[in-house]
Amino acid sequence: MRLSLCPAFREPLAIWRNLIYRCRAAQTRPLSNEICLAAARSGPEKLRMAKRFDFLAQWRSPMGMLMMMTVAMGVAFSVWRALINNFAVERVAFTGAEIGLLQSLREVPGFLAFTTVLFLLVVYEQRFALIARIVLGAGTMATGFFPSELGLYVTTMVMSIGFHYFETARQSLTLQWLDKENTAAQMGRLVAVGSFASIASFGLIYLFFQIL
């Protein structure tokens, strides 16, 4: 038995799908004004539905993915960087020598970033970026569960591997997906989004310390 859509959904979906086909042919994205104008002729309810579809389409665009990737990287690395020194000294009794060794180990995966091209022979770049993001998040999350010298070294290496591979893939995807005419402006927006995510992370850390 075939499932049919509710009549209230059919026309906004048809409008949105038609615009997607047209925009793909013209190599542009759906325009909110055009969607709203087409849906407004069918009533306020379908206008709201069309706006919702357009919002989802914009977030499922390459720029939306790049923004979410930038926020994820900014939050993960900012939290790790803000807490690692105090955690290493207070929980693991690190001195300056151990912290220096820790920071040296953190930079080692940066020399191996060129191996990204080898992974891209067997996996798509978008998928590789998501896998690297998961590794970065896992390394950051696991740091607090291993308050020992060896545990801190291992989790730092895991976090750094994910970070450097993820950053390499993210920059590559940014240059591939953005239009040449708008590359500078869009990259500026991504930098601003990442900075805002870092500042928000620092503020949340401060609030948590005040509450807890």
Side-chain angles (χ1 to χ4, degrees):
M1 182 178 66
R2 294 185 59 185
L3 296 177
S4 58
L5 287 172
C6 174
F9 286 84
R10 289 176 186 167
E11 192 164 347
L13 272 174
I15 294 170
W16 183 76
R17 191 177 296 124
N18 186 31
L19 285 170
I20 289 293
Y21 291 148
R22 288 165 52 193
C23 292
R24 280 179 180 171
Q27 304 232 336
T28 57
R29 68 175 181 82
L31 299 177
S32 299
N33 292 338
E34 190 174 355
I35 289 179
C36 294
L37 181 61
R41 298 167 184 163
S42 304
E45 182 62 29
K46 291 172 184 175
L47 175 61
R48 286 193 293 269
M49 292 289 300
K51 287 182 177 179
R52 188 179 307 168
F53 287 130
D54 183 54
F55 175 78
L56 293 176
Q58 291 179 19
W59 275 105
R60 295 181 67 179
S61 66
M63 189 60 185
M65 181 177 179
L66 289 173
M67 282 192 175
M68 289 186 285
M69 291 168 66
T70 302
V71 169
M73 185 197 67
V75 170
F77 187 66
S78 297
V79 169
W80 184 90
R81 185 175 55 182
L83 299 178
I84 188 62
N85 287 332
N86 288 340
F87 179 79
V89 172
E90 295 177 3
R91 298 289 181 177
V92 195
F94 267 22
T95 62
E98 286 82 8
I99 291 179
L101 178 59
L102 179 71
Q103 297 296 338
S104 299
L105 288 174
R106 182 175 67 85
E107 295 299 333
V108 170
F111 295 105
L112 304 177
F114 71 93
T115 58
T116 300
V117 295
L118 301 178
F119 290 103
L120 296 183
L121 295 176
V122 295
V123 66
Y124 289 114
E125 193 166 9
Q126 298 93 321
R127 191 171 298 174
F128 176 74
L130 293 175
I131 293 172
R133 176 65 190 90
I134 292 172
V135 174
L136 168 60
T140 304
M141 181 183 66
T143 301
F145 294 98
F146 297 95
S148 64
E149 185 173 353
L150 180 61
L152 209 54
Y153 290 152
V154 172
T155 54
T156 298
M157 286 293 294
V158 172
M159 183 279 303
S160 184
I161 290 171
F163 172 81
H164 284 97
Y165 280 136
F166 177 72
E167 182 64 13
T168 302
R170 187 183 69 85
Q171 291 183 7
S172 174
L173 291 173
T174 300
L175 295 176
Q176 290 179 52
W177 285 348
L178 298 182
D179 297 331
K180 292 182 179 179
E181 294 79 8
N182 301 321
T183 299
Q186 299 289 6
M187 291 185 72
R189 291 177 185 174
L190 291 174
V191 172
V193 168
S195 301
F196 179 79
S198 299
I199 294 173
S201 301
F202 295 146
L204 289 175
I205 291 171
Y206 176 78
L207 290 177
F208 284 148
F209 271 102
Q210 297 298 318
I211 296 173
L212 302 178

